[in-house]
Amino acid sequence: MAQADKAQATTAKVLVVTSGKGGVGKTTSTAALGAALAHNGDKVVVIDFDVGLRNLDLVLGAERRVVFDLINVIQGVAKLPQALIRDKRLENLHLLPASQTRDKDALTDDGVAKVIADLRKKFDWIICDSPAGIERGATLAMRHADAAIIVTNPEVSSVRDSDRIIGLLDSKTARAERGERVDKHLLVTRYHPSRAARGEMLSIDDVLEILSTPLLGIIPESEEVLRASNVGSPVTLNNPLSAPARAYFDAARRLKGEDVPMTVPSESRSLFNKLFGRKAA
Amino acid sequence: MSLFKSMFRRGSAPVARERLQLLLAHERVTRNQPDLLGVLREEILAVISRHVAFEPDKVQIKMDRGKSVSTLEVDIEIPNGLGGMARVA
């Protein structure tokens, strides 16, 4: 076991899911990608950095199982394994929740560094769900990241805030301070291909040209996302054949270094499946 | 509106794209500089407060960036009477 721990420690990857702007899909994407990576057999922990406004527990359907949280671990009230919640559907997926009530100043740089270092020994992927904004919670969430997923809606305020966040990733992270790079990946969410084609919405090319950041995936706007969060399940588990789920699975494969052609999955196939599924039921 | 108008309307995305490109070109340049206005404010107020008393909230500092010339506007309200301009003397 110790040997396995050691072997994994060298390959563990810390990701931050960030955006600057709120409501663009950070938590949804953290849950969906975390579940997709865990589904493929990797050991994954998702950490909620939104102290005071935690929601990753709710999106994952683990809200009633939270006993200890990140700040309890940092303050030494609980041990790390006590605070980790194992997903009921995927045994490789774990959640480290944020606290709901405590002061966010309790989130210290050293405390976070230690938690991340400990998690690196146990997991393949450590995915930090950043709060919105550019304050302490957001900068701490990105602090130890090896790579960043910048979640962007094709909309002016989101693109502007993403640009700001990209600037922070290049200057305020531990890697940046050591003169190293944080790999940046752009995840465009809530995309309407038809509206973009009609010139009503910024296109993928527009967003890529403005932000000059490699694309990780395009998540189409879909009812499935709300449906999944309603029932507390990542969209990749709740309806794996739906368009957004397929887009997240593709993005997860790209994170693992696979070369997956960039497409915007459409809903038609999942609609067919749904009809078919209903008939079969 | 309809057909005629919609045939010639290209959608609003090109406008969004152009606005963003202009804005971000500016923001990227200023981003990594220290907060110039903040520094100016602090130092100007330090100098003035050595000579006259004023209320920190009665100070307005504005910077307008133009294409060839930018202006810095400093507006400090100084109360007359004790502790005001009298102290200059």
Side-chain angles (χ1 to χ4, degrees):
Chain A
M1 189 62 199
Q3 227 173 8
D5 279 1
K6 213 172 176 185
Q8 282 174 356
T10 53
T11 56
K13 199 154 191 187
V14 180
L15 294 175
V16 59
V17 179
T18 184
S19 68
K21 191 175 185 299
V24 296
K26 286 181 295 297
T27 301
T28 298
S29 299
T30 301
L33 288 172
L37 288 165
H39 184 77
N40 293 338
D42 289 350
K43 288 195 77 181
V44 180
V45 60
V46 290
I47 313 178
D48 192 343
F49 271 83
D50 205 345
V51 172
L53 288 170
R54 74 167 175 232
N55 273 318
L56 188 53
D57 56 334
L58 195 53
V59 169
L60 284 169
E63 69 275 12
R64 290 163 58 163
R65 299 170 60 208
V66 176
V67 182
F68 295 113
D69 57 56
L70 175 59
I71 286 179
N72 292 144
V73 176
I74 286 176
Q75 294 181 330
V77 175
K79 295 236 159 55
L80 185 54
Q82 290 178 294
L84 289 174
I85 302 169
R86 179 186 288 238
D87 189 88
K88 286 203 160 150
R89 298 146 296 210
L90 288 171
E91 61 167 18
N92 284 346
L93 179 62
H94 293 72
L95 164 70
L96 182 53
S99 69
Q100 186 65 312
T101 53
R102 282 179 200 80
D103 188 3
K104 59 182 160 207
D105 290 337
L107 213 56
T108 61
D109 195 354
D110 290 347
V112 171
K114 184 165 188 316
V115 169
I116 300 273
D118 287 349
L119 290 171
R120 274 186 194 272
K121 295 173 198 153
K122 298 190 178 88
F123 293 94
D124 301 312
W125 299 94
I126 298 147
I127 310 180
C128 305
D129 183 20
S130 173
I134 51 172
E135 302 301 320
R136 189 182 177 74
T139 49
L140 274 177
M142 68 170 66
R143 181 89 195 133
H144 303 281
D146 302 313
I149 296 172
I150 300 129
V151 182
T152 306
N153 291 169
E155 177 271 327
V156 287
S157 54
S158 175
V159 174
R160 180 202 210 171
D161 291 358
S162 293
D163 192 73
R164 187 80 194 277
I165 283 290
I166 289 168
L168 292 180
L169 288 164
D170 288 336
S171 60
K172 301 276 181 194
T173 51
R175 274 190 171 230
E177 286 172 7
R178 291 198 301 263
E180 296 167 28
R181 272 187 41 219
V182 171
D183 285 328
K184 296 182 293 283
H185 307 277
L186 197 67
L187 187 68
V188 178
T189 55
R190 310 200 71 160
Y191 191 64
H192 292 260
S194 57
R195 297 195 72 189
R198 289 197 298 270
E200 295 171 10
M201 176 181 265
L202 288 169
S203 69
I204 294 296
D205 287 344
D206 290 338
V207 177
L208 290 182
E209 191 188 327
I210 293 167
L211 295 177
S212 323
T213 299
L215 186 61
L216 178 70
I218 306 163
I219 314 299
E221 171 77 50
S222 167
E223 294 171 3
E224 288 299 326
V225 173
L226 181 59
R227 190 168 291 142
S229 80
N230 281 344
V231 298
S233 172
V235 70
T236 40
L237 288 187
N238 197 52
N239 188 351
L241 294 173
S242 65
R246 283 182 286 138
Y248 278 119
F249 274 114
D250 283 354
R253 287 171 59 198
R254 291 184 197 108
L255 277 176
K256 295 192 62 150
E258 283 182 52
D259 191 11
V260 183
M262 190 65 68
T263 57
V264 190
S266 75
E267 211 64 87
S268 57
R269 193 176 135 198
S270 75
L271 194 67
F272 172 80
N273 277 311
K274 228 188 306 178
L275 292 172
F276 188 76
R278 204 170 279 167
K279 245 184 228 168
Chain B
M1 131 128 191
S2 62
L3 196 63
F4 181 75
K5 211 167 173 185
S6 62
M7 269 171 67
F8 291 93
R9 208 184 49 164
R10 286 214 41 212
S12 50
V15 181
R17 178 194 154 107
E18 197 175 318
R19 287 177 63 220
L20 272 170
Q21 279 171 330
L22 275 172
L23 175 72
L24 294 182
H26 174 71
E27 286 189 344
R28 283 169 188 156
V29 173
T30 52
R31 186 190 291 152
N32 294 324
Q33 294 168 356
D35 173 18
L36 179 62
L37 214 52
V39 173
L40 282 176
R41 183 191 165 93
E42 218 167 275
E43 295 189 5
I44 289 170
L45 294 192
V47 169
I48 306 218
S49 65
R50 266 188 252 144
H51 303 286
V52 286
F54 59 87
E55 297 214 13
D57 352 328
K58 298 284 173 67
V59 176
Q60 284 192 19
I61 297 188
K62 272 200 317 200
M63 185 177 272
D64 263 326
R65 290 175 202 273
K67 267 187 186 152
S68 53
V69 179
S70 296
T71 59
L72 177 69
E73 191 183 315
V74 183
D75 186 344
I76 304 177
E77 197 179 304
I78 297 169
N80 293 327
L82 284 179
M85 290 302 278
R87 270 178 55 181
V88 180

